[in-house]
C-alpha cells in the first residue's frame, strides 16, 4: 500500500507540474492552504448558514415556550344584594366576589412538551452540521474540478496553438502538390474541432468559478485559485467499516432516529391531552346587607373528560411514528447503497491510477512536441501528428478525471460517514 500511495503521489504531482508548464506565462503555485481558505470563506459567508442557524433559534424558542405556564386568571363579581325576610320589608345591600387562580397542566404534559421541543432543537442542530459538511464537500469538489478543468483547457490550448502553427507553416511553404494541399485542409478542419474543445473547456472553467463564488457569496467574476489539483491521498478503506461508520454517524440517519423518538413522545403527549387541565387559587367573597358577611376560600376548576378522549389525535400521532420508523429504515438502505457506490468508484479510480507510470503524461507531451517537429521535416504523415496530439489530450483527460473521481468518491464517503472516513485511525 505504501508503494501504491507513493506512485499515486508521484504521478499526480508530476502531472500538476506539467500542467503549470504547459502555457505561458506560468501561474504562480497556490499556497497549500488555498483550498481550506475557500472552504472557510464559504462556511463564514454562505447565506444559507444563517437559515439553519435561524432554524436552531426558532426551535430553541419553542423549547423556552414549552417551560412557561399560562397567565394567571382573575375573576370579579359585584352587584346589589336584596333580601325579603318573611313578614318584613325588603332589605338590600351589595355583594362582591374576587378570585385569582393559576391554570396548571395535567402532570406530565409540560415535561413531554419540553422533551418534544428539545428533539426539534437537536434536529435543527444536526441539520446545520450536515449542511456545513455538505457545503465544505461542494467547495472542495468544485475546486478540484476547476483545477482539472484548467489543466485540460491549457493542454487543449497548447495543442490548438501547435496545430495553428502548422497551418501557418503550410500556408507559407511553397506548394507541395496535392498531398500538401490535403494536409493543410486536414489540419484546418482539425483546428476547428480543437478550438471548439478549448472553448468548451474554458466555458466550463468559468462556470465552475462562478459556482464557487456563489457558494462563498462573492461576485461571479471574483478570482478563484485554479491550480488546486486533486491530492494523491488514497487511504486504505473497507466497505464493512465504511457502512458501519455511516450507520452510526450519518447525519440524515441521526435526524431520522431523533424523529422516531420525537414521534414516540408525541404519542404519549396525545394520550395525556385527553386528561383535563385544572386551575387552583384563592378567592374572597363579601356581602353587605343587615350585616356584613365576608370570607376567603380556595377555588378549583377542571374539565370533565366525558366524551373527548382525543382518539383522533392519538391515532394520528401513532401513524406519524410508523412513518418516522419507515423513513429511518428506508434511509439506512439508501445510505448503505450510496456508500457502496462511492466505495466502488474509489477502488476503480485508485486501480486505474496505480496502473500508470508516473511520467506517462510527460512522455506523451514530449511525443506530441516531437510529432510537430517531425512533421515539419516531412518524416511523418499528418495523421500521425494529429493522432499523437489526440492521444496526449485524451490520456491527460482520462488520468485527471480518474484523479478527480478518486477524490470526489473520498469526499462523498466523508460526507456519508460524517467526517469519519479521513479521521485518524
Amino acid at each position: 500500500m505504501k508503494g501504491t500511495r507513493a506512485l499515486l503521489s508521484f504521478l499526480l504531482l508530476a502531472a500538476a507540474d506539467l500542467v503549470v508548464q504547459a502555457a505561458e506565462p506560468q501561474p504562480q503555485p497556490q499556497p497549500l492552504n488555498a483550498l481550506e481558505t475557500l472552504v472557510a470563506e464559504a462556511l463564514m459567508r454562505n447565506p444559507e448558514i444563517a437559515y439553519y442557524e435561524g432554524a436552531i433559534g426558532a426551535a430553541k424558542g419553542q423549547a423556552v415556550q414549552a417551560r412557561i405556564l399560562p397567565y394567571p386568571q382573575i375573576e370579579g363579581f359585584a352587584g346589589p344584594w336584596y333580601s325579603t325576610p318573611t313578614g318584613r320589608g325588603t332589605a338590600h345591600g351589595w355583594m362582591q366576589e374576587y378570585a385569582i387562580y393559576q391554570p396548571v397542566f395535567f402532570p406530565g404534559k409540560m415535561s413531554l412538551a419540553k422533551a418534544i421541543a428539545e428533539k426539534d432543537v437537536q434536529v435543527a442542530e444536526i441539520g446545520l452540521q450536515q449542511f456545513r459538511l455538505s457545503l465544505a464537500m461542494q467547495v472542495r469538489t468544485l475546486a478540484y474540478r476547476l483545477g482539472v478543468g484548467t489543466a485540460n483547457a491549457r493542454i487543449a490550448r497548447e495543442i490548438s496553438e501547435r496545430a495553428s502553427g502548422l497551418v501557418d507553416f503550410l500556408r507559407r511553404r511553397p506548394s507541395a502538390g496535392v498531398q500538401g494541399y490535403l494536409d493543410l485542409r486536414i489540419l484546418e478542419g482539425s483546428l476547428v474541432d480543437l478550438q471548439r474543445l478549448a472553448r468548451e473547456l474554458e466555458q466550463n472553467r468559468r462556470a465552475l468559478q462562478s459556482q464557487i463564488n456563489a457558494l462563498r457569496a462573492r461576485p461571479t467574476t471574483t478570482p478563484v485559485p485554479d491550480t488546486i489539483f486533486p491530492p494523491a491521498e488514497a487511504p486504505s478503506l473497507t466497505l464493512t467499516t465504511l457502512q458501519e461508520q455511516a450507520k452510526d454517524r450519518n447525519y440524515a440517519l441521526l435526524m431520522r432516529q431523533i424523529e422516531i423518538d420525537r414521534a414516540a413522545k408525541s404519542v404519549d403527549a396525545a394520550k395525556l391531552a385527553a386528561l383535563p387541565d385544572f386551575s387552583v387559587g384563592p378567592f374572597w367573597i363579601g356581602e353587605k346587607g343587615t350585616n356584613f358577611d365576608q370570607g376567603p376560600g380556595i377555588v378549583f376548576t377542571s374539565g370533565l373528560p366525558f366524551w373527548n378522549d382525543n382518539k383522533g389525535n392519538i391515532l394520528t400521532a401513532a401513524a406519524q411514528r410508523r412513518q418516522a420508523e419507515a423513513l429511518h429504515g428506508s434511509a439506512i438502505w439508501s445510505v448503505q447503497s450510496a456508500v457502496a457506490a462511492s466505495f466502488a468508484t474509489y477502488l476503480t479510480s485508485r486501480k486505474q491510477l496505480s496502473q500508470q507510470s508516473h511520467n506517462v503524461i510527460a512522455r506523451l507531451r514530449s511525443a506530441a512536441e516531437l510529432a510537430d517537429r517531425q512533421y515539419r521535416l516531412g518524416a511523418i504523415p499528418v495523421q500521425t501528428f494529429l493522432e499523437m496530439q489526440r492521444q496526449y489530450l485524451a490520456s491527460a483527460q482520462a488520468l485527471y478525471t480518474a484523479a478527480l473521481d478518486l477524490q470526489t468518491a473520498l469526499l462523498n464517503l466523508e460526507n456519508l460517514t460524517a467526517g469519519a472516513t479521513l479521521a485518524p485511525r
Side-chain angles (χ1 to χ4, degrees):
M1 182 53 63
K2 290 182 178 179
T4 302
R5 291 181 184 176
L7 177 59
L8 288 174
S9 178
F10 192 41
L11 168 64
L12 296 179
L13 289 175
D17 290 340
L18 286 171
V19 170
V20 173
Q21 298 173 6
E24 294 290 344
Q26 295 182 3
Q28 295 298 318
Q30 296 296 327
L32 295 177
N33 64 348
L35 177 59
E36 296 309 315
T37 299
L38 286 177
V39 172
E41 188 176 15
L43 292 175
M44 179 180 65
R45 294 176 55 88
N46 189 280
E48 287 190 61
I49 295 288
Y51 168 81
Y52 286 94
E53 291 175 341
I56 294 174
K60 288 183 176 180
Q62 290 302 303
V64 171
Q65 187 64 35
R67 300 182 177 94
I68 300 176
L69 286 171
Y71 284 135
Q73 302 294 310
I74 186 169
E75 290 184 353
F77 304 92
W81 179 87
Y82 300 93
S83 176
T84 307
T86 303
R88 297 180 61 182
T90 300
H92 59 84
W94 53 267
M95 59 86 65
Q96 56 186 334
E97 180 180 348
Y98 302 101
I100 182 170
Y101 51 88
Q102 172 64 54
V104 179
F105 294 116
F106 192 88
K109 284 187 177 181
M110 179 175 283
S111 61
L112 278 173
K114 290 189 292 185
I116 291 172
E118 288 168 356
K119 293 297 180 183
D120 290 337
V121 173
Q122 292 177 22
V123 170
E125 289 174 343
I126 292 177
L128 174 60
Q129 295 173 23
Q130 183 182 43
F131 177 74
R132 289 176 63 87
L133 181 62
S134 177
L135 177 61
M137 184 193 74
Q138 289 182 66
V139 173
R140 289 189 172 94
T141 300
L142 289 172
Y144 294 152
R145 288 178 59 191
L146 178 61
V148 168
T150 301
N152 288 330
R154 284 172 178 159
I155 293 177
R157 287 198 302 270
E158 174 191 350
I159 294 174
S160 178
E161 291 170 0
R162 186 175 294 131
S164 179
L166 271 185
V167 169
D168 292 339
F169 170 75
L170 290 177
R171 286 173 178 170
R172 292 193 305 269
R173 191 177 65 177
S175 176
V178 175
Q179 186 63 50
Y181 173 81
L182 294 178
D183 283 359
L184 176 59
R185 296 297 174 258
I186 290 173
L187 285 170
E188 287 177 337
S190 298
L191 182 59
V192 171
D193 188 58
L194 287 170
Q195 291 172 339
R196 175 197 59 80
L197 178 60
R199 174 181 55 81
E200 291 176 353
L201 290 172
E202 180 62 23
Q203 289 175 344
N204 179 65
R205 192 187 72 82
R206 293 183 180 276
L208 291 169
Q209 176 181 334
S210 297
Q211 291 178 50
I212 294 174
N213 281 326
L215 291 178
R216 61 183 186 144
R218 294 287 189 185
T220 57
T221 57
T222 303
V224 178
D226 60 3
T227 57
I228 300 175
F229 207 76
E233 187 170 4
S236 178
L237 305 174
T238 62
L239 180 59
T240 301
T241 301
L242 289 170
Q243 290 183 331
E244 289 176 354
Q245 291 173 335
K247 189 174 182 180
D248 294 337
R249 296 168 58 97
N250 182 268
Y251 287 136
L253 295 184
L254 290 178
M255 284 193 289
R256 295 300 184 196
Q257 184 60 58
I258 293 174
E259 288 171 356
I260 292 176
D261 297 340
R262 184 190 186 283
K265 293 185 183 299
S266 295
V267 173
D268 294 337
K271 293 177 180 178
L272 274 180
L275 301 176
D277 300 328
F278 56 91
S279 301
V280 64
F283 76 89
W284 177 85
I285 186 170
E287 295 180 356
K288 178 69 172 67
T290 304
N291 299 311
F292 180 61
D293 301 319
Q294 63 177 324
I298 297 295
V299 63
F300 177 84
T301 65
S302 178
L304 297 177
F306 283 159
W307 50 78
N308 182 9
D309 58 0
N310 207 36
K311 186 175 181 179
N313 288 333
I314 294 173
L315 292 174
T316 298
Q320 290 173 341
R321 179 180 180 178
R322 291 193 297 272
Q323 284 181 313
E325 291 171 344
L327 287 176
H328 181 260
S330 175
I332 289 176
W333 289 109
S334 178
V335 169
Q336 298 287 19
S337 175
V339 169
S342 294
F343 181 69
T345 301
Y346 177 76
L347 289 182
T348 54
S349 300
R350 188 175 66 171
K351 181 179 180 181
Q352 179 184 356
L353 290 172
S354 66
Q355 290 173 340
Q356 302 298 327
S357 60
H358 70 276
N359 61 344
V360 60
I361 297 178
R363 289 189 283 113
L364 288 170
R365 182 171 187 265
S366 297
E369 294 172 345
L370 176 63
D372 180 32
R373 295 192 299 270
Q374 291 300 308
Y375 177 75
R376 291 172 184 267
L377 295 174
I380 61 172
V382 69
Q383 291 81 3
T384 301
F385 166 80
L386 291 174
E387 182 62 23
M388 189 63 253
Q389 309 308 310
R390 294 192 189 99
Q391 286 301 317
Y392 171 36
L393 177 60
S395 298
Q397 287 181 316
L399 290 175
Y400 295 158
T401 300
L404 178 61
D405 289 345
L406 179 80
Q407 284 305 312
T408 300
L410 194 59
L411 289 172
N412 285 334
L413 290 172
E414 185 178 7
N415 189 43
L416 290 167
T417 60
T421 301
L422 298 180
R425 290 172 174 77

